Amino acid sequence: MIKQKGVTLIEMLISLAIMAIAITAVAPSIQSILIKNRIVSEINELSAVIQFARNQAIDQQITIIVCPSGDFSVCSNNWDDPKIVFIDSDSSGDRGANEELLATTGAISDNNYLTGPANPLFFSATGEAAANSNLILCHSSKDNEYARQLSITLQGRVKMSSDSDRNGIHEDTTGTPISCP
C-alpha cells in the first residue's frame, strides 16, 4: 500500500467551501460585537471622567467643568471632540490661562457620534450639577441597538442606560427606549 501525502483538489475545494460558508455566517455577528465593545468602551470613559469631575468638585470645594474642546482650552458644542475637565476658579464658564486642566479624554471614534447639552457640565462644591443633562452615544449607522445614554441628575449622579426589558434596545431612566438622533 502507498500512503497518501497530501489532499486531492476536490478535498481542498470542499474544505475551502466549508470555511467560506462558516466565515460568511460568523462575520456579521463579530462586527456587531466589535461595534458594541467600542460603544461600551467610549461610554465608560465618558462616565469615568464625569464622575471624576464631580468628585474633584467635592474634594476641592470648587466649581469643576466638563466640556468638549478641540484645542484643550476653549469649550465647544461638538461633543465628538475630546473632553476636558478643569477648575473654574473665576466662575467664567471658560478655561482661563491660569485654570488647571485636571483630566482629558480622547475624541469619539470616527464610527460613533455623541450628542450632549448645549452648555458644559458644571459641578458645584457640593457635587451638584447645574442642570439635568443627557449624553447619547450612537454608532454612525444610527441603529438604536447600539445607542447608549448617560444621564446626569441635579444631584450630580451619573446613570448609565440599561436594557431592562432585554429587547436589545437600551432605555433611559424613565424606561423610554433610546433612539439615535
Side-chain angles (χ1 to χ4, degrees):
M1 286 201 121
I2 301 174
K3 288 190 175 184
Q4 186 177 358
K5 293 187 177 185
V7 293
T8 65
L9 180 60
I10 299 213
E11 290 171 334
M12 186 174 69
L13 289 175
I14 289 172
S15 297
L16 286 173
I18 291 171
M19 284 183 12
I21 290 169
I23 289 173
T24 304
V26 172
S29 63
I30 289 175
Q31 183 176 3
S32 176
I33 290 169
L34 292 174
I35 291 170
K36 284 181 183 178
N37 283 345
R38 170 64 77 178
I39 294 279
V40 167
S41 170
E42 289 185 345
I43 202 78
N44 284 342
E45 179 183 31
L46 188 58
S47 175
V49 80
I50 292 170
Q51 291 178 37
F52 170 79
R54 180 177 187 256
N55 289 336
Q56 288 298 308
I58 294 168
D59 288 347
Q60 296 188 32
Q61 291 293 294
I62 195 161
T63 301
I64 302 286
I65 294 181
V66 179
C67 68
S69 176
D71 60 2
F72 297 96
S73 73
V74 177
C75 291
S76 73
N77 289 330
N78 183 0
W79 284 90
D80 290 340
D81 285 343
K83 272 43 105 208
I84 59 173
V85 176
F86 62 93
I87 297 171
D88 189 25
S89 55
D90 63 2
S91 300
S92 68
D94 290 318
R95 182 169 176 240
N98 296 328
E99 292 176 327
E100 183 181 359
L101 186 62
L102 300 175
T104 64
T105 68
I108 298 298
S109 67
D110 293 338
N111 293 330
N112 300 330
Y113 64 95
L114 180 67
T115 56
N119 297 319
L121 303 176
F122 290 82
F123 292 98
S124 69
T126 60
E128 296 173 336
N132 284 323
S133 301
N134 292 313
L135 297 146
I136 299 175
L137 182 64
C138 289
H139 186 258
S140 59
S141 68
K142 295 191 176 187
D143 187 348
N144 293 338
E145 172 188 4
Y146 303 124
R148 301 292 184 269
Q149 178 175 308
L150 286 180
S151 298
I152 296 95
T153 66
L154 286 175
Q155 295 82 17
R157 303 222 185 259
V158 179
K159 295 181 181 180
M160 195 172 308
S161 62
S162 64
D163 182 13
S164 58
D165 60 6
R166 301 189 189 274
N167 67 350
I169 308 291
H170 275 231
E171 296 90 26
D172 62 16
T173 55
T174 65
T176 305
I178 299 168
S179 60
C180 291

